[in-house]
Amino acid sequence: MAGPVGTVRQVGEILVEQGIITPLQLDEALQRQRLTGDLLGRILVSLGYAEEQDVIVALGMQQGMDRIDISKLDIPEDVIKTLTGDVARFYNVVPVRIEDGDLIVAMADPLNIQTIDDLCQITGMNVRGAISNPEDVIASWKKNYSMETGSVNAMLNELTELVGTEELSLEELGQQEILSDADNLVELAQQPEVIKIVNLIFLTALQKRASDIHFEVYEEDFRVRIRVDGVLHEIVHPPKASCIALVSRIKVICSMDIGERRMPQDARIELKIGDSFIDVRVATLPTLYGECVVMRVLDRTAIKIDLDSLGLTPQTMKKTLTVINKPNGIILVTGPTGCGKTTTLYACLNVLNTPEVKIITTEDPVELQIERLVQCQVHEEVGLTFAACLRSILRQDPDIVMVGEIRDLETAQIAVEASLTGHLVLSTLHTNSAAETVTRLLDMDVEPFLITASLEAVLAQRLVRVLCRQCKEKYRPEPEEMDELDVPTAWRKDPNFKLFRAKGCAACDYVGYMGRIGLYEMLLVDETVREMILERAMAHELRRYARKKQGMLILREEGLMKCAQGITSPAEVIARTDQYDD
């Protein structure tokens, strides 16, 4: 969309005109900008002179957008019908009027220009954006689309009419009117009601930033849940009788064997949503009462492969950059499943990925395809294990090798040999802390002298949810909570000491959190640690030394720091990290 003719107004001028800041505050921010080179809007927010939403609105106005209050607007039905409810919800917009043949939409995020381009293609009209409050956009969507035929409730009613309310066998289903002219389940999967509900479930999952979609069947129940920021939420409750129909539809999309219901199946598909490429890994599992399906959603464009964006403290960042630039050795990233280990490895490889070096990875599965990386997919069913793949990789003259996971002694030994012959090896291991990683390697029967000769550092991590900036609230924690967080005595004595907790608002879908960030602890393998490994020191001894001599912050301590900064809540840190007495 073209902006207004003439000189573009500065963001600071717009904020002064709106009465958000004073001219003196603008001058102070501009002086700081000359010194730091930072963005003016970010400086104003950091100084407390403006809210982030104020800056977003000003940036939208700078692009020529009008500000519109849709909370009291009575939008004509013909305008509402220009966008279906699922599309409006997916892009977080509401159409408000048609002006000179252009469709005007109220946007919760006026900076997302791609939304305008997508809506132009969807509607076939020229679309112009208008700035609105995010909460007002959501409220208007609920008001205008709650009874739309494309809504979840309406679709569920259509689906219930199609399949009934009682679970039927395939033989019984074949006798129903729905399959009177069909020979197999493909006809069932192609029913409009089934297609619409599956599409809407997927759109809802994408709009809510879900990482997984779960279709779960029980004895008397069938439900669909999505995992957002590591937590499952139920989004729709289809009739039990629709289980076969919805699962069949998913199998058709993924080109699975639609008639095979006794064996697990796996598939991978690729979708394009706007400019985003979405990879979806689908797995079915036959259970006592039917097939369950899990769809893992991977947005390639949303994955953070920038080391600066992961949440590392300056101290840990400096240590990380030092160790990954070593010419050889092993660097391990540890933690439970789903804590972001692979993302951290990708971020490290992104730093190292230059034309002068050759990097080869072996993964199961390949999560993200990165330019200039040679990536190998493990296929254990044909004998291509991590160990077998790693053995072949070393014949390809790599400089850096990434092993998706060290699962057994054979893989560990080959990784050690690779590091001793001049390669830098990055890999992951499932342990609860950095210090316990050494114990785990010893338990795998890796010789202590091989560990000391190859291991350079261990980075343990967890993911915690980030508090919603618009609704988080300050509070004074109780003594019991401060005990669990190991709050320092000086902080406890400060009467102004406060932490933050989740509240919930329309912007975060009343969850209180939006996104996740990492907590990290790094154990460097120095000469003293090598001597302790040779003596088979216990994990708590290694941890005590690293905290005292290396300045290592354990996961809970780093979590406390992020609580004090208002990034996450004590409840998240306590739930995701361990407390140690040493």
Side-chain angles (χ1 to χ4, degrees):
M1 185 187 73
V5 178
T7 304
V8 177
R9 292 187 298 165
Q10 299 299 315
V11 170
E13 295 175 5
I14 296 172
L15 290 171
V16 171
E17 290 176 7
Q18 296 290 314
I20 305 297
I21 61 174
T22 66
L24 287 176
Q25 290 172 336
L26 175 59
D27 289 340
E28 180 185 348
L30 288 171
Q31 289 177 12
R32 182 167 298 193
Q33 185 185 38
R34 296 187 193 101
L35 294 173
T36 64
D38 205 352
L39 295 174
L40 180 63
R42 188 176 298 169
I43 292 173
L44 289 167
V45 172
S46 66
L47 291 172
Y49 295 157
E51 297 292 333
E52 188 171 341
Q53 184 61 31
D54 297 328
V55 176
I56 291 174
V57 169
L59 288 168
M61 295 176 68
Q62 188 185 45
Q63 297 176 28
M65 293 185 182
D66 295 327
R67 187 167 187 174
I68 186 170
D69 182 3
I70 62 170
S71 60
K72 299 178 182 179
L73 277 184
D74 188 12
I75 305 172
E77 186 177 351
D78 61 327
V79 175
I80 288 295
K81 287 183 177 180
T82 57
L83 292 176
T84 61
D86 52 359
V87 170
R89 189 71 180 95
F90 181 71
Y91 289 103
N92 217 1
V93 300
V94 172
V96 292
R97 65 177 181 270
I98 296 175
E99 187 177 276
D100 298 329
D102 295 348
L103 178 63
I104 312 299
V105 296
M107 304 175 65
D109 181 8
L111 303 185
N112 191 348
I113 304 302
Q114 184 59 45
T115 294
I116 299 294
D117 295 338
D118 289 351
L119 293 179
C120 286
Q121 294 180 5
I122 291 171
T123 62
M125 304 174 66
N126 185 45
V127 178
R128 289 190 283 146
I131 310 161
S132 186
N133 186 293
E135 294 188 3
D136 289 344
V137 171
I138 293 173
S140 180
W141 182 89
K142 291 179 179 178
K143 172 185 174 182
N144 290 287
Y145 288 104
S146 60
M147 299 304 294
E148 189 209 33
T149 56
S151 68
V152 174
N153 290 336
M155 288 187 183
L156 286 178
N157 291 336
E158 293 178 12
L159 192 63
T160 302
E161 291 178 7
L162 178 73
V163 300
T165 57
E166 297 182 4
E167 174 72 355
L168 302 174
S169 66
L170 287 180
E171 293 76 15
E172 293 171 323
L173 202 58
Q175 297 170 6
Q176 301 299 304
E177 181 179 352
I178 178 178
L179 291 182
S180 59
D181 298 324
D183 296 327
N184 52 51
L185 288 170
V186 175
E187 292 293 329
L188 177 61
Q190 292 177 342
Q191 295 298 313
E193 295 83 356
V194 176
I195 293 174
K196 282 196 292 184
I197 193 68
V198 170
N199 288 349
L200 186 57
I201 288 171
F202 192 68
L203 280 171
T204 301
L206 289 178
Q207 194 273 332
K208 293 180 180 291
R209 304 171 294 104
S211 60
D212 303 87
I213 309 171
H214 294 245
F215 295 80
E216 302 167 328
V217 58
Y218 304 94
E219 183 177 7
E220 298 179 353
D221 198 12
F222 179 50
R223 62 180 178 175
V224 180
R225 296 193 290 174
I226 60 174
R227 189 179 296 278
V228 181
D229 296 332
V231 179
L232 284 169
H233 305 272
E234 185 170 331
I235 58 169
V236 67
H237 202 164
K240 176 71 185 298
S242 67
C243 174
I244 294 176
L246 298 185
V247 171
S248 296
R249 176 61 191 166
I250 294 170
K251 287 183 174 181
V252 167
I253 295 172
C254 302
S255 300
M256 289 182 175
D257 184 352
I258 198 170
E260 178 56 74
R261 304 178 69 226
R262 296 171 298 176
M263 295 291 292
Q265 297 187 65
D266 295 284
R268 187 167 186 164
I269 58 175
E270 182 184 280
L271 301 174
K272 188 173 186 293
I273 307 294
D275 279 348
S276 299
F277 287 94
I278 310 295
D279 282 333
V280 184
R281 294 206 309 269
V282 184
T284 67
L285 179 68
T287 67
L288 191 60
Y289 302 108
E291 284 184 285
C292 289
V293 179
V294 173
M295 305 175 72
R296 171 149 290 188
V297 182
L298 180 66
D299 184 352
R300 296 185 205 163
T301 59
I303 290 183
K304 297 177 181 178
I305 58 171
D306 183 3
L307 205 57
D308 293 327
S309 65
L310 299 183
L312 293 164
T313 63
Q315 179 188 30
T316 307
M317 173 69 79
K318 183 178 179 180
K319 292 179 180 178
T320 301
L321 291 173
T322 299
V323 296
I324 67 174
N325 280 287
K326 287 181 177 290
N328 54 63
I330 296 178
I331 301 166
L332 296 176
V333 179
T334 72
T337 300
C339 72
K341 299 187 297 296
T342 303
T343 302
T344 300
L345 289 181
Y346 280 146
C348 291
L349 292 180
N350 196 41
V351 174
L352 301 170
N353 190 9
T354 63
E356 294 79 24
V357 298
K358 180 171 183 177
I359 303 175
I360 306 181
T361 74
T362 172
E363 307 170 58
D364 184 23
V366 174
E367 296 278 2
L368 183 65
Q369 298 175 30
I370 302 177
E371 188 179 356
R372 293 200 305 269
L373 259 61
V374 180
Q375 296 174 274
C376 307
Q377 171 74 55
V378 167
H379 293 286
E380 293 191 354
E381 63 275 9
V382 297
L384 188 59
T385 61
F386 277 117
C389 197
L390 182 55
R391 193 177 291 110
S392 298
I393 285 173
L394 295 179
R395 303 190 191 108
Q396 296 292 314
D397 189 30
D399 297 293
I400 301 170
V401 177
M402 185 188 104
V403 183
E405 181 184 347
I406 294 179
R407 296 177 178 173
D408 50 43
L409 176 60
E410 184 182 10
T411 307
Q413 288 176 331
I414 299 173
V416 169
E417 291 171 9
S419 70
L420 294 177
T421 54
H423 301 89
L424 181 66
V425 180
L426 283 71
S427 189
T428 70
L429 207 62
H430 285 96
T431 61
N432 290 325
S433 69
E436 289 175 37
T437 302
V438 174
T439 307
R440 173 71 179 128
L441 291 172
L442 292 171
D443 289 342
M444 292 171 64
D445 291 329
V446 180
E447 293 293 340
F449 73 90
L450 291 177
I451 299 175
T452 59
S454 58
L455 188 62
E456 294 292 339
V458 181
L459 182 68
Q461 68 178 71
R462 294 290 189 280
L463 288 178
V464 292
R465 290 184 291 173
V466 176
L467 287 165
C468 173
R469 293 182 178 182
Q470 296 193 30
C471 67
K472 64 182 179 182
E473 61 179 8
K474 284 186 178 182
Y475 77 106
R476 174 81 179 183
E478 296 294 330
E480 296 79 11
E481 194 172 38
M482 288 194 278
D483 289 340
E484 286 194 87
L485 284 171
D486 293 327
V487 175
T489 304
W491 290 15
R492 298 181 190 223
K493 292 181 178 179
D494 183 357
N496 297 318
F497 172 63
K498 298 287 179 66
L499 295 178
F500 296 80
R501 60 187 173 194
K503 182 180 180 181
C505 65
C508 61
D509 209 13
Y510 298 97
V511 174
Y513 299 92
M514 289 187 69
R516 289 191 289 179
I517 197 169
L519 304 179
Y520 302 90
E521 65 179 32
M522 175 168 276
L523 170 66
L524 297 176
V525 182
D526 57 22
E527 290 304 317
T528 302
V529 171
R530 289 188 172 92
E531 291 176 6
M532 296 175 73
I533 293 173
L534 290 173
E535 296 171 359
R536 294 182 179 269
M538 302 295 289
H540 69 273
E541 295 174 314
L542 290 168
R543 181 165 48 247
R544 186 185 303 121
Y545 167 79
R547 294 175 70 180
K548 184 175 181 180
K549 299 298 184 180
Q550 296 181 357
M552 181 183 80
L553 293 178
I554 62 172
L555 294 169
R556 181 154 293 191
E557 289 171 336
E558 184 160 321
L560 174 59
M561 299 298 292
K562 284 185 167 60
C563 287
Q565 294 167 2
I567 296 173
T568 190
S569 68
E572 277 291 294
V573 173
I574 292 170
R576 308 294 177 188
T577 63
D578 297 316
Q579 187 177 31
Y580 300 109
D581 296 327
D582 48 271

